[in-house]
Amino acid sequence: MGKEEFLKRLTYLLRDIPEEEMQDAVSYYRSYLEEAGPEREEEVLAGFGTPEQVAEAIRANLAGEAGSEWKRAPENRDARGGGADRSGGEPLREEKKARPFWQYLLMGLALIVFGPLVLSVIVGVAGSLFGGLALLAGFFLLLAVLTAAMLLGGISLTVLGAFFVFPGFWPGILLIGLGLLAFGGGCILLCCSWLFYGCFLPWLGRGIWGIFAKKG
């Protein structure tokens, strides 16, 4: 079926509707086919369907929307798969379908059931992260305090032992020995602090920065 035969048949089938509505519908389809061109005429006609289907859709549209201008029925789609409504000669956008009630119900139930679980996981991860940071900060502080205490305690015991050597030789020697032992422990902690603060922390910081830099 060609363009003229389609339009002639459609005009005949729409003879029982108001003249203005019929001319509007036929004129629309004629301009649509002329715009498509002869090379796509058959393809577009196949997308429209038979003249009987088009006429039935137009009547149903007019009956459902009395007093409004004719609109293309949803069944009339071109070969590109795009449905268009016509009001005043301009295509209208398809209305978005509302979600069924049961979908909202399922979404609400899922939120009630899984919401606390997801929230607990997030809180647990955040708590573990902050706990680890607090533990690391406490270790930093403890290492610094122990180092300072061992060094200062060793020096103090050594000086005190030197004063006690003269009144009582062995007590003074014991204090000096304890002082030197504490001072040596403080020196060891000082070396550990230097390795930790000067080597490990910069290496850890560079590693974390490298990970985030690659992701960015």
Side-chain angles (χ1 to χ4, degrees):
M1 179 181 293
K3 176 182 70 174
E4 294 301 330
E5 185 179 356
F6 174 86
L7 295 173
K8 183 177 179 181
R9 179 64 177 168
L10 181 61
T11 302
Y12 174 78
L13 293 171
L14 295 177
R15 66 187 184 281
D16 56 340
I17 68 173
E19 179 69 20
E20 182 179 355
E21 299 290 350
M22 181 191 68
Q23 293 295 335
D24 190 18
V26 174
S27 175
Y28 172 77
Y29 280 99
R30 181 183 297 278
S31 62
Y32 199 101
L33 288 166
E34 289 176 353
E35 183 180 352
E39 63 278 1
R40 295 188 60 242
E41 181 178 305
E42 183 178 353
E43 184 181 0
V44 173
L45 285 172
F48 286 156
T50 63
E52 288 76 10
Q53 291 174 330
V54 175
E56 183 180 355
I58 293 173
R59 285 199 194 87
N61 185 272
L62 291 174
E65 302 182 14
S68 65
E69 296 186 11
W70 172 78
K71 299 177 181 178
R72 282 189 60 197
E75 293 83 3
N76 300 329
R77 297 178 183 272
D78 62 16
R80 291 169 291 182
D85 290 340
R86 185 176 183 271
S87 178
E90 295 294 333
L92 300 177
R93 296 180 179 177
E94 294 181 355
E95 296 182 357
K96 294 182 178 180
K97 295 182 180 179
R99 289 177 179 266
F101 174 75
W102 61 269
Q103 290 187 2
Y104 290 104
L105 182 61
L106 287 178
M107 291 170 62
L109 290 175
L111 184 61
I112 293 174
V113 174
F114 296 105
L117 179 62
V118 174
L119 183 61
S120 62
V121 171
I122 294 174
V123 172
V125 172
S128 300
L129 180 61
F130 284 111
L133 291 175
L135 184 63
L136 190 61
F139 178 75
F140 294 162
L141 182 62
L142 179 61
L143 183 61
V145 170
L146 283 178
T147 302
M150 293 287 284
L151 290 174
L152 293 176
I155 294 173
S156 300
L157 286 175
T158 303
V159 173
L160 187 62
F163 282 105
F164 273 93
V165 167
F166 299 101
F169 180 77
W170 293 112
I173 294 298
L174 179 61
L175 289 175
I176 292 173
L178 291 175
L180 293 175
L181 182 63
F183 187 79
C187 290
I188 294 174
L189 287 177
L190 184 62
C191 293
C192 293
S193 300
W194 178 80
L195 290 174
F196 187 78
Y197 291 110
C199 299
F200 176 73
L201 282 185
W203 173 81
L204 181 63
R206 286 193 298 268
I208 295 174
W209 176 259
I211 293 173
F212 284 102
K214 287 181 180 178
K215 289 184 177 180

